[in-house]
């Protein structure tokens, strides 16, 4: 017997562990609470566990009596169900009672995972109960408190997966086929306690139209693989997946691991090794897609969405897209038609033709606080490729991305190697960069042939606000900080600082419109030829006495063209409304009006 097997607490009751459950789901509701109960500060979950399938508890709640209701009407055709209570640091006994206080079942110690075996590095103790739910109209799962427990959760399981085969009794395929609509499929923590026993291996994908939850109940997430034979799941109902690893799927069309059109929520899931034409890991359409604490890595799409292709409302929280690749657009994520929001999410080391990290076409896109987009590579838009809908960067950073130039160095108009950090054809508002200590500001340290930090194409409009900085970016040819074919507005205390172009326009370059106002500045930028701060073929307006263009440098000497601060060329228009100086300390000069040739 192995040390882990010795930790398994075998059931003391005569209940069978594996039970089939079916039947339609009725609406859940909470049990009545009398005045005496109201005096106790315990938690009652609503809707009930038959609908939620899992209820988490924080330490403060675990110090109190906890009641979780179950609506028996939802389980009308069920014979037996399994409940698991997963807590850290100690066993937590619980009971199942009727609403009048009659105890119908009590839990037993089931399995212990030693400290360090779970993802959170803590010891886990799982207690279990099986019971017949056909008593009264409501049941209550009750614990009288666990004051020394750090965290816990109670889980309802309609079907338990104990076998790793493609099909057959107690397999994942059978459990999904047998589960009630809006039911829960759980991986048995005893059967999947040892990762060395291998993954669930599928020979073909599993398809369902049911709404359901699929849960890995062990702190060590079970693995499911298709070994490259097919995708893993085709889902048409609203589905939640928790604490699983899905890997090595293959699909000729969309979704190498998962296809969904009914709504999908992933929590603490790893998606790895999927291959498809679109959406290497996930292809989602129509219904919402939500990722929480989820890793999407090492997936590939021949066309769009190396990690994820989504034509549905999308949100990612505290998740990661890494090392994915797409042949066309969106190395990590391709989103279109519906809004997408990334919060506290990291996008790194993805590759594509357009949008190495993310492409967003035709709808709003938000990169919110704590999000980082770095070390992605593409031909256009190394980090982000944005088109049409309003995009917002608020408390996030785009840095160290690369737009690769595969043409001759001066063919910057060929659409190659453009927009190292961001390429945008629509409106973009940069509210602020990351506030985390040691993290770079909004757009920093990116590289391209043209538009090292940002490339604003003809229809693009960019506003840089507050103390956001476009800094330390590099262009092999033009526009170290920003390539401006559309419009750029710098306002508040925004800066374009410390950027470099080997040719013209260390800070900005282009034939579009630039407005600098409030206390905004262009400083410390350098150019190998003309326009250390600005190389202007369009219109530049400096509005206000506190605007500053300073300490920029152009390498060309006076008399042959320069403009250390601003070089306005031929048809370019420079307008300024200032009181006092606005351009000072630039080298070899502050402003140079280059004649037409």
């Amino acid at each position: 017997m192995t040390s882990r097997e010795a930790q398994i607490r075998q059931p003391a009751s005569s209940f069978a562990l594996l039970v089939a459950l079916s039947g339609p789901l009725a609406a859940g509701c909470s049990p009545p609470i009398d005045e005496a109960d109201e005096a106790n500060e315990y938690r009652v979950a609503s809707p009930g566990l038959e609908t939620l399938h899992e209820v988490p508890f924080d330490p403060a709640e675990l110090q109190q009596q906890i009641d979780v209701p179950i609506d028996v009407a939802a389980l009308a055709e069920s014979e037996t169900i399994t409940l698991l209570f997963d807590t850290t640091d100690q066993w937590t006994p619980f009971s199942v009672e009727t609403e009048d206080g009659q105890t119908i079942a009590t839990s037993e110690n089931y399995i212990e995972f030693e400290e360090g075996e779970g993802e959170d590095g803590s010891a886990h103790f799982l207690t279990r109960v099986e019971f017949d739910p056909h008593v009264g109209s409501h049941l209550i799962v009750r614990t009288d408190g666990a004051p020394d427990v750090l965290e816990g959760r109670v889980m309802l399981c309609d079907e338990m997966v104990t076998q790793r085969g493609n099909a057959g009794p107690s397999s994942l395929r059978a459990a999904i086929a047998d589960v009630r609509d809006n039911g829960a499929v759980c991986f048995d923590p005893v059967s999947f306690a040892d990762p060395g026993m291998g993954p669930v291996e599928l020979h073909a994908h599993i398809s369902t139209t049911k709404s359901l939850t699929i849960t890995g109940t062990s702190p060590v997430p079970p693995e499911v693989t298709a070994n490259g034979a097919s995708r893993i799941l085709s889902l048409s109902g609203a589905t939640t997946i928790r604490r699983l690893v899905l890997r090595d799927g293959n699909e000729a069309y969309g979704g190498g691991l998962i296809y969904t059109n009914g709504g999908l929520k992933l929590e603490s899931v790893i998606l790895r090794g999927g291959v498809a034409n679109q959406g290497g890991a996930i292809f989602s359409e129509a219904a919402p897609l939500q990722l929480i604490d989820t890793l999407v890595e090492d997936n590939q799409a021949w066309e769009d969405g190396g990690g994820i292709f989504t034509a549905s409302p999308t949100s990612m929280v505290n998740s990661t897209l890494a090392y994915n690749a797409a042949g066309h657009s969106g190395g990590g994520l391709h989103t279109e038609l519906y809004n997408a929001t990334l919060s506290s999410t990291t996008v790194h080391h993805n590759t594509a033709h357009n949008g190495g990290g993310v492409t967003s076409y035709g709808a709003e896109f938000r990169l919110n606080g704590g999000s980082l987009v770095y070390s992605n590579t593409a031909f256009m838009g190394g980090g982000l490729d944005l088109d049409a809908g309003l995009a917002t960067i608020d408390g996030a950073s785009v840095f160290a991305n690369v737009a690769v130039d595969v043409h001759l160095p001066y063919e910057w108009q060929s659409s190659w190697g453009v927009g190292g950090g961001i390429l945008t054809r629509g409106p973009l508002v940069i509210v602020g960069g990351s506030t985390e200590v040691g993290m770079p500001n909004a757009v920093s340290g990116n590289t391209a042939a043209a538009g090292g930090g940002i490339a604003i194409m003809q229809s693009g409009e960019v506003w840089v606000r507050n103390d956001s900085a476009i800094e330390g970016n590099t262009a092999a040819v033009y526009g170290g900080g920003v390539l401006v074919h559309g419009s750029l507005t710098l306002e508040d205390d925004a800066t374009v600082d410390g950027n470099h172009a080997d040719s013209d326009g260390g800070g900005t370059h282009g034939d579009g419109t630039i407005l600098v106002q409030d206390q905004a500045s262009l400083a410390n930028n350098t150019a190998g030829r003309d326009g250390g701060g600005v190389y202007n073929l369009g219109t530049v307006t400096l509005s206000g006495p506190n605007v500053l263009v300073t300490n920029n440098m152009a390498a060309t000497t006076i008399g042959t063209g320069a403009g250390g601060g601003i070089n306005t060329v031929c048809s370019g228009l420079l307008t300024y409304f200032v009181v006092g100086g606005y351009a000072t300390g630039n080298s070899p000069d502050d402003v140079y009006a280059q004649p037409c040739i």
Side-chain angles (χ1 to χ4, degrees):
M1 177 177 293
T2 67
S3 59
R4 184 186 290 269
E5 288 172 335
Q7 295 164 359
I8 297 173
R9 291 355 189 221
Q10 296 297 336
S13 72
S14 60
F15 290 115
L17 171 62
L18 308 174
V19 184
L21 179 70
S22 62
L25 173 69
C29 59
S30 300
I33 303 173
D34 59 29
E35 292 182 2
D37 286 335
E38 288 181 342
N40 299 321
E41 295 181 357
Y42 63 80
R43 167 176 172 168
V44 175
S46 180
L49 194 57
E50 79 291 338
T51 300
L52 296 173
H53 306 144
E54 180 173 311
V55 176
F57 304 104
D58 61 31
E61 291 173 312
L62 287 166
Q63 293 176 14
Q64 309 171 91
Q65 176 180 306
I66 300 169
D67 285 6
V68 182
I70 300 176
D71 181 6
V72 173
L75 309 173
E77 298 182 17
S78 307
E79 295 180 0
T80 306
I81 62 174
T82 301
L83 298 181
L84 291 166
F85 210 115
D86 179 2
T87 51
T88 58
D89 291 351
Q90 69 177 36
W91 303 105
T92 301
F94 65 98
S95 60
V96 179
E97 302 177 5
T98 62
E99 56 188 320
D100 61 4
Q102 177 187 355
T103 299
I104 63 171
T106 57
S107 66
E108 58 195 1
N109 296 347
Y110 192 49
I111 185 170
E112 173 188 351
F113 291 86
E114 293 181 349
E115 187 170 0
E117 294 182 2
E119 286 186 305
D120 58 9
S122 300
H124 283 253
F125 297 79
L126 275 72
T127 50
R128 186 195 74 156
V129 67
E130 292 179 339
F131 62 94
D132 181 346
H134 302 130
V135 181
S137 59
H138 291 88
L139 297 176
I140 300 171
V141 182
R142 172 167 294 171
T143 176
D144 290 329
D148 297 325
V149 171
L150 295 177
E151 61 180 346
R153 54 178 172 251
V154 62
M155 294 167 280
L156 180 146
C157 303
D158 296 296
E159 298 290 334
M160 299 293 288
V161 179
T162 64
Q163 303 300 315
R164 290 170 166 80
N166 172 65
S170 304
S171 66
L172 176 61
R173 188 180 303 276
I176 291 176
D178 293 342
V179 73
R180 65 183 170 94
D181 194 20
N182 292 300
V185 171
C186 300
F187 285 71
D188 175 43
V190 169
S191 301
F192 289 88
D194 185 357
M197 295 293 291
V200 171
E201 296 189 85
L202 303 179
H203 302 158
H205 76 279
I206 299 173
S207 179
T208 182
T209 60
K210 299 172 183 176
S211 296
L212 74 160
T213 295
I214 304 173
T215 298
T217 56
S218 160
V220 180
E223 294 191 4
V224 182
T225 178
N227 289 320
S230 69
R231 77 161 63 103
I232 292 175
L233 295 170
S234 298
L235 306 170
S236 296
T239 304
T240 296
I241 302 175
R242 298 186 176 106
R243 297 182 295 279
L244 287 181
V245 178
L246 305 183
R247 62 175 177 83
D248 301 333
N250 195 313
E251 170 58 41
Y253 299 102
L257 299 174
I258 301 173
Y259 169 83
T260 174
N261 62 6
L264 176 63
K265 181 179 182 180
L266 303 179
E267 296 183 38
S268 301
V269 172
I270 297 174
L271 303 176
R272 179 184 292 135
V275 179
N277 190 50
Q278 293 183 308
I282 300 172
F283 186 104
S284 174
E285 55 184 338
L289 173 66
Q290 184 178 10
L291 280 70
I292 302 170
D293 297 324
T294 289
L295 171 63
V296 182
E297 68 173 3
D298 290 320
N299 302 283
Q300 181 179 355
W302 301 115
E303 291 190 11
D304 306 321
I308 300 171
F309 180 103
T310 173
S312 56
T314 300
S315 67
M316 297 182 65
V317 179
N318 198 34
S319 295
T320 299
L321 295 161
Y323 298 99
N324 303 287
H328 184 239
S329 67
L333 169 68
H334 174 97
T335 175
E336 61 181 49
L337 302 179
Y338 293 86
N339 297 347
T341 301
L342 276 59
S343 303
S344 299
T345 289
T346 301
V347 182
H348 68 91
H349 291 95
N350 303 283
T351 60
H353 183 285
N354 291 13
V358 177
T359 51
S360 177
Y361 295 163
E364 293 186 9
F365 175 78
R366 290 191 63 90
L367 194 65
N368 282 344
S371 293
L372 304 173
V373 178
Y374 68 91
S375 298
N376 302 284
T377 303
F379 295 143
M380 300 176 64
L384 306 174
D385 181 6
L386 308 172
D387 197 351
L390 173 65
T392 303
I393 297 175
D394 186 357
S397 295
V398 179
F399 63 98
N401 301 283
V402 178
V404 179
D405 181 17
V406 298
H407 280 235
L408 296 175
Y410 286 92
E411 293 183 1
W412 60 276
Q413 293 176 325
S414 66
S415 297
W416 299 88
V418 180
I422 303 169
L423 184 144
T424 181
R425 303 173 191 83
L428 166 64
V429 178
I430 301 175
V431 179
S434 174
T435 58
E436 295 183 23
V437 176
M439 286 294 103
N441 209 307
V443 182
S444 177
N446 303 284
T447 304
I454 304 174
I456 308 171
M457 309 315 284
Q458 278 79 359
S459 56
E461 304 172 275
V462 174
W463 293 265
V464 186
R465 295 175 175 163
N466 300 319
D467 60 352
S468 302
I470 301 170
E471 61 185 10
N473 303 285
T474 302
V477 188
Y478 299 138
V482 188
L483 178 67
V484 185
H485 290 313
S487 69
L488 170 66
T489 300
L490 304 175
E491 53 194 16
D492 302 322
D493 295 299
T495 61
V496 175
D497 190 294
N499 303 282
H500 173 78
D502 287 350
S503 183
D504 301 325
T508 70
H509 180 290
D511 54 8
T513 301
I514 299 174
L515 170 62
V516 187
Q517 59 187 4
D518 303 324
Q519 293 78 236
S521 64
L522 294 102
N524 306 306
N525 302 287
T526 59
R529 295 201 312 184
D530 300 333
V534 178
Y535 188 89
N536 172 38
L537 292 153
T539 300
V540 176
T541 299
L542 307 176
S543 178
N546 297 314
V547 169
L548 189 61
V549 179
T550 186
N551 205 35
N552 302 286
M553 184 175 68
T556 308
T557 60
I558 294 177
T560 59
I566 300 172
N567 184 315
T568 186
V569 182
C570 189
S571 58
L573 178 63
L574 174 63
T575 306
Y576 47 92
F577 306 93
V578 298
V579 177
Y582 67 93
T584 181
N586 301 285
S587 175
D589 52 1
D590 292 322
V591 179
Y592 179 80
Q594 184 171 319
C596 297
I597 299 175

